[in-house]
Amino acid sequence: MDTVADTFPPAFLAALDQLRLRARSVPAGGRFASQRARSKGAGIEFADVRPYVPGDDLRALDGAAWLRLDRLFTRLFVQEEDLPVHILVDRSSSLGLVAAEDGMTKRRAALQVAAALAWISLKRLDRVTVRGFSGGVAAPLPSVNGPSAFPRLLDQLVALPDGGETDVRGACADLAARGGRRGLCILVSDFLDPRGIDAVADGLALLKHKTALIRLVRPGEERPDLRGDLDLEDVESGARLGVDADPGFADRYEAAWRAYGDGLATVAARYGAVLHTVNLGTPVPESLAGLFAHGAFPG
Amino acid sequence: MNWLGLSPAALAFGFGGAVVGLGLLHLLRVRPRRVKVESLLFARAAAPTPKPVALFGRPARWWAFLLGALILALIVAGAGDPLVVGDGPSRLILDAGAGEAANTLAEAGVGPRGGRLAVPGGLGARGRDLVLATSRPGDPDSPLLATNASNPPVTPIPYVVAIADAVPESVVMIATAESTGTDAAAVKVVAAPRDAVVAGPALLIDPGVDPAERRAVPTSDCPLPLALRDRRGKNLTALAPLPKDAVAWVIDASTGAPLVASWNTPEGARVACVAWLLAPLGHRDVPILVAGALRLLAGAEIPTTAVAGVPFALPALPGATLACVGPDSFAAATAEGRRLATFMKAGTYTLEGWFGRRTLTVSAAPSSAPNPPPERLPDPWRLGTALLVVAVAVAGLEAWWHHRGRTP
């Protein structure tokens, strides 16, 4: 079992702050899941003025308006709330099967993605809830708030149980059943659900949150080295498939792989979700930078 | 191929070897390589669509097909256990001294002993070296050539058959009396020489006026008189009277009366045959013998279903190869104790065939003559095991090749 030091090496942790800076550089208004309360009250950002009524905070009186108009006005500010961030991390068996050349597995990359996004959210004082999911949906980790909870979160991430089949719909249904405020849901997975794209679509349909799909892909995954008579075994379900991998097999496999990615993008667009691909050939912080470049994530 | 030459032990050994070989083939069978994958989604979509099986379609992979055919051919050939025979016997010594049949033949005008050598059943002391013998009663498929247990039964056959093919007149056969030889039981009868040739003109069997007499014109010299010693019917008619120059082909040995004879007339040669000899069912082996004799002349089977009064022609094919008496005829001819002896001209034959070039000396010696030193025959090479080993090796190579993902 990987340790925290193995999963989150110092170089990765050092890159998180730089990643957060890149996330904060996104211009206002272009963010995907900015969270503001509808009510106006105590805050920093000015929102509006209204006529003074007895009982208003005297500190909020607008002196300039009183001098100019000889009437009392009360300044109103935007009341900001924390953003519930739900990070669903795929823990199925397929994520640990094959490692990239540098030893990075999808499983480790998924945890790094979850940690990076959680760190950014915690720095924004958002409430972060992480839960692993596979065939049997794991219970969520305790919600954490504030940067000081980050080390504890890393320990909990590493300790998440793994194994089983990818079950996107089950994970979404479990999250939807728990209710709570509307927030941001981040699905970190390879999305190789045995039930196909329809399972992903069904899951997204259940969510009321803004959703981001982080798809993990491995270099060369689209064109595996499969030749000859093969007995393929699904590492998750144990299902078998006899295949005669002729010379055209690799081309057809790649075409199917790309079609699956296109289908995933279509489903994400249909439900207003953001799909971002993290390639294991690139360090996770660097790969996640693209997520913020287009304002897909609140920095 | 030598299916019959296997002893029980060799057969059991071969069977055991086949079981072991099949076990090895089972272990070495081509098995698909198992690969764990993250998902079957894409492989399922990329798997080629199974094509409908076309029984006579073109094989999808010629190399795989040819390799499979090669393995199958090696297994079949190995199971057949082919023999590579070295130098065979160089001499055939025919017993000229067990004389009953030979005497009979001499009396029948065959000629002096040794001119045509009879090989009756009384092998006597010569049995150890004789490779040419007679059939015995009770051997329904009785082949004519024989050998004893000290020689592979297959060894001399090709030579005699080759002699019969090359010099057809050298090998003929005829029914003789039952042997009284004491060693007859030790003789193992093997396949008969199949061919003998007598060239002659067309033979017309004329039913004539008398239904008891059938005439054949023209005729040729009788090459092989027949002697019937055990005629079943005692009151059967014979040909009489006959011209003085008539040559009896078939003689009732009990009475000396001719049953088949030929003679020359100003209109041509004629053959007369008593009708009862031509009866298909009444006399069992007798018509067969007559038919055999006529076939020697006419080159065709006598139509035993011919209706009396309707002439029929038997075309003679000069130089044609004719069967003397088939295996079925042997059964009938020997059922009553007769033998079909083989006659072979003494001499030196140079043979060429699949066995190579051989010089075979055929001679005769009385039973009382001392045995010559036995010929030492080289052991034949059996290739069955080697072929099976090659088959297993090829199958293993193919399996290994396949496991490397380089299916031919």
Side-chain angles (χ1 to χ4, degrees), chain B residues 225 234 323:
Chain B
K234 300 299 183 185

Side-chain angles (χ1 to χ4, degrees), chain A residues 94 97 106 192-194 218 221 226-227 229-235 239-241 244 246 249 252-253 256-257 260, chain B residues 30-49 51 61 402-407:
Chain A
S94 62
L97 179 62
K106 288 182 179 178
L192 297 180
D193 193 304
R218 181 172 34 79
E221 176 183 328
L226 297 175
R227 289 181 295 175
D229 275 347
L230 302 172
D231 181 14
L232 302 180
E233 179 182 358
D234 190 332
V235 70
R240 308 266 287 274
L241 177 67
D244 185 5
D246 53 15
F249 179 80
R252 296 193 298 271
Y253 190 98
W257 188 89
Y260 191 83
Chain B
V30 177
R31 280 177 278 200
R33 184 163 52 101
R34 180 176 295 186
V35 178
K36 286 189 175 182
V37 294
E38 298 169 337
S39 174
L40 294 179
L41 286 173
F42 314 125
R44 197 170 278 134
T49 305
K51 298 176 181 176
R61 298 179 179 182
H402 200 90
H403 276 276
R404 295 290 300 268
R406 286 179 282 191
T407 305

Side-chain angles (χ1 to χ4, degrees), chain A residues 110-167:
Chain A
L111 295 180
Q112 289 189 358
V113 168
L117 298 180
W119 169 248
I120 294 172
S121 298
L122 291 175
K123 292 292 282 184
R124 291 182 65 249
L125 302 180
D126 288 334
R127 179 167 297 277
V128 175
T129 305
V130 177
R131 65 188 71 208
F133 74 92
S134 61
V137 179
L141 299 176
S143 297
V144 293
N145 200 351
S148 61
F150 187 62
R152 188 171 75 250
L153 179 64
L154 295 185
D155 291 335
Q156 293 170 339
L157 280 174
V158 172
L160 280 173
D162 53 23
E165 292 186 29
T166 304
D167 186 7

Side-chain angles (χ1 to χ4, degrees), chain B residues 323-375:
Chain B
C324 290
V325 178
D328 295 339
S329 303
F330 280 116
T334 58
E336 298 300 326
R338 289 195 180 85
R339 290 181 170 278
L340 290 174
T342 295
F343 297 84
M344 202 166 177
K345 281 185 177 177
T348 300
Y349 299 87
T350 299
L351 307 173
E352 288 185 357
W354 62 270
F355 43 77
R357 186 182 178 91
R358 296 282 183 275
T359 299
L360 189 68
T361 300
V362 179
S363 60
S367 300
S368 58
N371 286 327
E375 291 185 276

Side-chain angles (χ1 to χ4, degrees), chain A residues 180-201:
Chain A
R181 286 191 292 132
R182 187 171 183 269
L184 173 62
C185 174
I186 303 169
L187 274 164
V188 185
S189 172
D190 57 4
F191 295 103
L192 297 180
D193 193 304
R195 289 158 289 275
I197 290 181
D198 291 343
V200 180

Side-chain angles (χ1 to χ4, degrees), chain B residues 68-395:
Chain B
L70 172 65
I71 293 172
L72 186 63
L74 286 172
I75 292 174
V76 171
D81 197 13
L83 279 176
V84 175
V85 182
D87 292 336
S90 61
R91 64 173 183 253
L92 295 176
I93 301 176
L94 309 182
D95 191 339
E100 183 177 7
N103 290 335
T104 303
L105 292 169
E107 293 168 358
V110 171
R113 293 182 188 178
R116 292 181 186 272
L117 299 178
V119 186
L123 301 178
R126 188 61 62 193
R128 190 172 55 213
D129 292 321
L130 275 177
V131 292
L132 194 63
T134 63
S135 60
R136 293 186 296 112
D139 291 325
D141 297 327
S142 54
L144 193 59
L145 302 180
T147 184
N148 56 24
S150 63
N151 289 321
V154 296
T155 305
I157 294 176
Y159 305 117
V160 178
V161 172
I163 291 173
D165 289 340
V167 194
E169 299 83 0
S170 299
V171 181
V172 294
M173 59 186 177
I174 191 172
T176 66
E178 182 179 4
S179 169
T180 56
T182 55
D183 293 339
V187 175
K188 186 174 183 180
V189 179
V190 292
R194 297 162 301 179
D195 305 319
V197 173
V198 174
L203 183 68
L204 176 63
I205 303 295
D206 184 359
V209 180
D210 183 1
E213 176 180 331
R214 297 191 179 191
R215 297 178 182 278
V217 290
T219 184
S220 65
D221 292 337
C222 176
L224 188 63
L226 303 177
L228 303 179
R229 296 181 57 82
D230 294 327
R231 181 167 55 83
R232 296 171 65 87
K234 300 299 183 185
N235 56 351
L236 296 174
T237 59
L239 294 177
L242 287 174
K244 292 182 179 179
D245 60 344
V247 176
W249 290 9
V250 180
I251 303 169
D252 185 347
S254 60
T255 62
L259 303 178
V260 180
S262 66
W263 64 93
N264 294 315
T265 66
E267 294 79 21
R270 299 180 71 86
V271 172
C273 176
V274 292
W276 60 266
L277 278 180
L278 302 177
L281 300 176
H283 307 286
R284 299 189 61 186
D285 54 323
V286 175
I288 297 172
L289 295 174
V290 175
L294 292 179
R295 281 158 56 193
L296 289 176
L297 290 175
E301 187 78 48
I302 188 170
T304 53
T305 57
V307 180
V310 178
F312 52 91
L314 297 175
L317 303 176
T321 298
L322 307 175
C324 290
V325 178
D328 295 339
S329 303
F330 280 116
T334 58
E336 298 300 326
R338 289 195 180 85
R339 290 181 170 278
L340 290 174
T342 295
F343 297 84
M344 202 166 177
K345 281 185 177 177
T348 300
Y349 299 87
T350 299
L351 307 173
E352 288 185 357
W354 62 270
F355 43 77
R357 186 182 178 91
R358 296 282 183 275
T359 299
L360 189 68
T361 300
V362 179
S363 60
S367 300
S368 58
N371 286 327
E375 291 185 276
R376 181 173 181 79
L377 302 179
D379 294 332
W381 298 348
R382 294 187 180 277
L383 300 181
T385 304
L387 289 173
L388 287 176
V389 168
V390 172
V392 170
V394 173

